[in-house]
Amino acid sequence: MTLTAPTATIGLDTAAELAAQLRVDSIRSSTSAGSGHPTSSMSAADLFAVLATRHLRYDWDDPRSSANDHLILSKGHASPLLYSLFRAVGVISDDELMQGYRRLGQRLQGHPTPALPWVDVATGSLGQGLPDGVGVALAGKYLDKQPYRVWVLCGDSEMAEGSIWEALDKASYYQLANLVTMVDVNRLGQRGPTDLGWDVDAYARRAEAFGARVLVVDGHDLTAIDNAMTTAAEPSGDRPTVILAKTVKGRGFSEVEDSNDWHGKPFPPDMAERAVRELGGERNLKVRGPQPEPSAVDGSSPTSDPAARPVTTQPTEPPTPARYDLGQKVPTRKAYGDALVVLGAQNPRVVALDGEVSNSTYAFEFARAHPGRYFEMFIAEQQMVAAATGLAVRGYHPFASTFAAFLTRAYDFIRMGAVSGVDLSLVGSHAGVEIGPDGPSQMGLEDLAMMRAVDGSTVLYPSDATSTVALTQIMAVLPGISYLRTTRGKYPVLYPEGESFPIGGSKTLRSSDQDQVTLIGAGVTLHACLAAADTLADEGIRARVIDCYSIKPIDDEAIAAAATTGRIVVAEDHRAEGGLGSAVKDSLVTAGRPTPSLTHLAVRGMPGSGSSKEQLAWAGIDADHIVSAARDLMRG
């Protein structure tokens, strides 16, 4: 039987049948795969059945329609439920559900990813779906200005994650009435009861304290669920809605209901057969709920291409690009802010976010020039990256900035952004011991290693204002996760306006046919390398100097050419592990050429407070130490 309800007229009796089918198919698919989470799927089946038949406005034949609602499965381990819904609406076949789930090379992965066009973001690392949903809802309210709603299904276990409460806090701050969070309160986590169990009143008090409108329902009472979703879809003024649904894990199969023994375990075939029989057998119901209402701010029909949608925020008059004179001392963080303002005027799909340090990262310049496209996330770095991810889902290109050290808090969100395949530009300022007296809590010393490890990432570290501007421009069109490391202090401009800085390239600033040693730096240490080269020249030692502004990908040809000098000194304001030195060594090993004598200068102890000059000397990465390292190699 196939039913379509353009105006959500499918009855709750049909929703009940669909809920049973979703439970049956969750069991069948996980048993067939030999792994999965059937009981976590069964508890939320009634929520999904009512939502899909009566409230989710979605054109399943056009998943990229800008008018569609969004459905995010934050409890990604319940993927059997989501995939069973996809079968019920007719976008995947029963054969794919049974033969493709959790199999190598198939798109029905153990946790959902955008390999499926009906999935916005990868989930499964708990506590991320709702924060991502905040980003999608921000786009809907402030940029797209479309009436779509964002529905997020959370599990009760992930309500212990601080990122969930960061998300509700920001959803309330930005008055995201278009965001509906459904919490499957089934009492049981992976190893036993959750911290609050079935205490829905405690959940309600917490959600209300963060500014949400809260609706508490029996998660297996279809009428109550329907009424709650109807209320959630109604204008609520300025508040997001949280539906707390008290449910039973394994609902529908008496042998496992509310049992602590079946989390993440498929039923053996004989048990699955009993479960399907108790649920009334297999079904082949095909149901599609309400269609979205065509709507666009310019009166035209919505387009399926996010990049072609109208942008309602009007760009300001194009600003005059900043100009820097050779030798002028400019912090690269300031050049980033200058570049972002111009980029925002050139590209209306560029948006910016910051973690309440915009007067240090210079993102405040974008906020002042383009206030409608700037989102302050305060001291909530996880939510900052998640909101950027959600905005990217809607076709915008976000630049998110904070201190480099604080991006470590958001690393799980960064890696999941890579799994989601979104394009994000991240900017970390105040990197390294160079920042001086603030001390180690503020010093980004692990960021290059962290970002190099992200799949498909691009890692950039400019040394002057000109290269910063050029690389910021390039980042707006880079695929995947890109990272720009900026410096706190003022350093001389090295390159003329208009100089090209291709990704994967480098700049050789000193060279001759008689080079005896190569000095490799980036950012602050490049300036130290240049000073060291001048000192060495006075001693009759010719030194090549390379600016490795592109750390991933690195310029393999330049590194190979450097190896011909027979001696290399790499200096970086970063931990010894995983940064510029590791990238250089990896390049040499991969090339398979004879490895030259190499000295790697990096931060190898725990810094304290002191001036920038003192810190660089303490770490052994200033010009004097580079000179000493080169002399030692010459003697060796």
Side-chain angles (χ1 to χ4, degrees):
M1 177 171 63
T2 301
L3 295 175
T4 301
T7 57
T9 57
I10 293 176
L12 290 177
D13 54 344
T14 301
E17 280 294 296
L18 176 59
Q21 176 173 304
L22 295 177
R23 290 186 170 99
V24 166
D25 286 351
S26 294
I27 293 166
R28 292 172 60 232
S29 58
S30 55
T31 295
S32 173
S35 67
H37 293 257
T39 59
S40 297
S41 300
M42 295 162 74
S43 61
D46 295 310
L47 291 167
F48 258 35
V50 176
L51 177 66
T53 54
R54 299 172 62 84
H55 298 281
L56 184 71
R57 302 170 301 182
Y58 201 92
D59 183 350
W60 293 99
D61 295 324
D62 186 6
R64 290 175 58 82
S65 169
S66 63
N68 283 340
D69 282 355
H70 292 259
L71 174 59
I72 298 175
L73 183 67
S74 192
K75 53 175 288 182
H77 56 286
S79 58
L81 174 62
L82 184 65
Y83 300 155
S84 295
L85 175 63
F86 290 165
R87 176 188 175 247
V89 298
V91 293
I92 70 170
S93 66
D94 186 69
D95 181 68
E96 182 175 13
L97 180 66
M98 294 300 292
Q99 304 303 323
Y101 180 51
R102 287 184 170 239
R103 267 70 162 198
L104 182 65
Q106 301 298 309
R107 60 181 185 165
L108 302 187
Q109 298 178 30
H111 295 77
T113 75
L116 295 160
W118 314 279
V119 174
D120 286 327
V121 291
T123 56
S125 181
L126 292 178
Q128 296 205 21
L130 181 57
D132 290 346
V134 168
V136 178
L138 283 171
K141 179 172 182 174
Y142 293 101
L143 302 175
D144 294 337
K145 297 195 175 179
Q146 294 277 6
Y148 60 74
R149 294 186 289 266
V150 182
W151 302 84
V152 182
L153 178 64
C154 292
D156 50 353
S157 287
E158 64 183 320
M159 301 302 283
E161 285 279 9
S163 57
I164 291 290
W165 304 102
E166 283 187 13
L168 286 176
D169 179 60
K170 299 307 171 289
S172 297
Y173 177 81
Y174 280 105
Q175 302 179 355
L176 299 181
N178 55 346
L179 177 66
V180 183
T181 305
M182 304 168 288
V183 185
D184 177 17
V185 186
N186 66 25
R187 189 184 76 84
L188 294 172
Q190 177 170 325
R191 58 98 198 100
T194 60
D195 57 350
L196 292 181
W198 275 323
D199 190 352
V200 291
D201 291 338
Y203 283 120
R205 289 192 298 271
R206 294 181 183 189
E208 287 171 345
F210 278 89
R213 172 178 63 172
V214 177
L215 307 171
V216 179
V217 299
D218 176 345
H220 303 305
D221 182 334
L222 300 190
T223 299
I225 294 170
D226 186 52
N227 289 338
M229 290 181 177
T230 298
T231 300
E234 294 171 350
S236 62
D238 57 3
R239 292 191 294 167
T241 298
V242 174
I243 299 175
L244 295 170
K246 183 178 179 181
T247 64
V248 176
K249 199 165 186 174
R251 174 75 170 192
F253 183 32
S254 57
E255 291 184 35
V256 302
E257 284 188 344
D258 195 31
S259 170
N260 190 42
D261 298 327
W262 285 97
H263 180 89
K265 297 177 182 177
F267 303 153
D270 59 331
M271 194 173 177
E273 184 177 344
R274 293 196 302 275
V276 171
R277 187 164 57 246
E278 185 175 334
L279 285 162
E282 295 182 22
R283 295 162 175 81
N284 193 33
L285 189 64
K286 301 296 181 186
V287 179
R288 292 191 175 187
Q291 290 284 301
E293 298 178 6
S295 171
V297 295
D298 64 352
S300 65
S301 299
T303 170
S304 296
D305 181 5
R309 291 196 308 271
V311 176
T312 59
T313 55
Q314 297 299 318
T316 59
E317 287 295 319
T320 302
R323 299 183 183 277
Y324 312 106
D325 297 327
L326 290 175
Q328 178 185 356
K329 290 187 175 181
V330 181
T332 56
R333 59 188 174 118
K334 172 65 166 64
Y336 162 70
D338 294 341
L340 195 60
V341 169
V342 175
L343 185 59
Q346 295 170 340
N347 184 350
R349 306 213 72 80
V350 168
V351 299
L353 309 91
D354 196 87
E356 217 245 284
V357 290
S358 62
N359 58 337
S360 290
T361 64
Y362 279 84
F364 82 91
E365 294 188 353
F366 185 95
R368 186 168 54 194
H370 312 290
R373 286 184 276 143
Y374 175 80
F375 299 97
E376 179 60 65
M377 289 294 118
F378 301 96
I379 307 298
E381 292 85 2
Q382 294 181 112
Q383 183 55 59
M384 180 184 72
V385 174
T389 298
L391 289 162
V393 165
R394 295 301 302 154
Y396 298 94
H397 191 101
F399 281 76
S401 54
T402 186
F403 286 13
F406 304 155
L407 283 171
T408 59
R409 294 175 177 172
Y411 190 58
D412 191 23
F413 287 77
I414 295 170
R415 76 173 185 91
M416 286 299 291
V419 177
S420 292
V422 294
D423 301 336
L424 304 181
S425 295
L426 305 177
V427 180
S429 72
H430 291 61
V433 300
E434 185 270 348
I435 71 168
D438 282 344
S441 69
Q442 313 296 295
M443 295 172 176
L445 290 169
E446 306 83 11
D447 54 315
L448 296 178
M450 177 178 79
M451 296 307 305
R452 283 184 67 225
V454 173
D455 181 66
S457 64
T458 302
V459 181
L460 307 169
Y461 189 10
S463 301
D464 82 334
T466 301
S467 55
T468 301
V469 169
L471 294 173
T472 301
Q473 288 276 344
I474 293 172
M475 288 172 75
V477 296
L478 284 179
I481 309 293
S482 57
Y483 176 62
L484 184 80
R485 192 186 212 222
T486 64
T487 302
R488 182 180 192 176
K490 298 179 180 180
Y491 291 88
V493 174
L494 301 172
Y495 302 104
E497 183 181 356
E499 184 85 7
S500 175
F501 294 86
I503 302 302
S506 67
K507 294 292 182 180
T508 300
L509 298 177
R510 299 278 196 280
S511 67
S512 73
D513 293 336
Q514 292 82 40
D515 289 337
Q516 299 161 283
V517 62
T518 298
L519 311 181
I520 298 177
V524 60
T525 60
L526 177 68
H527 297 276
C529 286
L530 289 169
D534 291 341
T535 298
L536 292 169
D538 291 340
E539 300 176 6
I541 301 173
R542 293 183 178 273
R544 182 176 306 180
V545 177
I546 297 178
D547 176 3
C548 270
Y549 65 82
S550 180
I551 293 178
K552 180 187 177 184
I554 200 164
D555 189 342
D556 291 317
E557 291 187 7
I559 301 302
T564 63
T565 65
R567 306 170 187 88
I568 294 177
V569 178
V570 181
E572 61 178 317
D573 193 0
H574 186 272
R575 292 289 179 193
E577 299 82 8
L580 173 60
S582 294
V584 170
K585 294 171 190 176
D586 289 347
S587 178
L588 291 168
V589 170
T590 301
R593 297 182 177 89
T595 303
S597 298
L598 188 149
T599 298
H600 180 198
L601 305 180
V603 182
R604 298 180 185 272
M606 181 58 69
S609 292
S611 69
S612 178
K613 181 178 180 181
E614 291 170 333
Q615 296 276 27
L616 294 169
W618 168 84
I621 55 175
D622 62 354
D624 289 344
H625 284 84
I626 295 170
V627 168
S628 295
R631 288 174 183 152
D632 289 343
L633 287 178
M634 293 297 296
R635 286 194 292 266

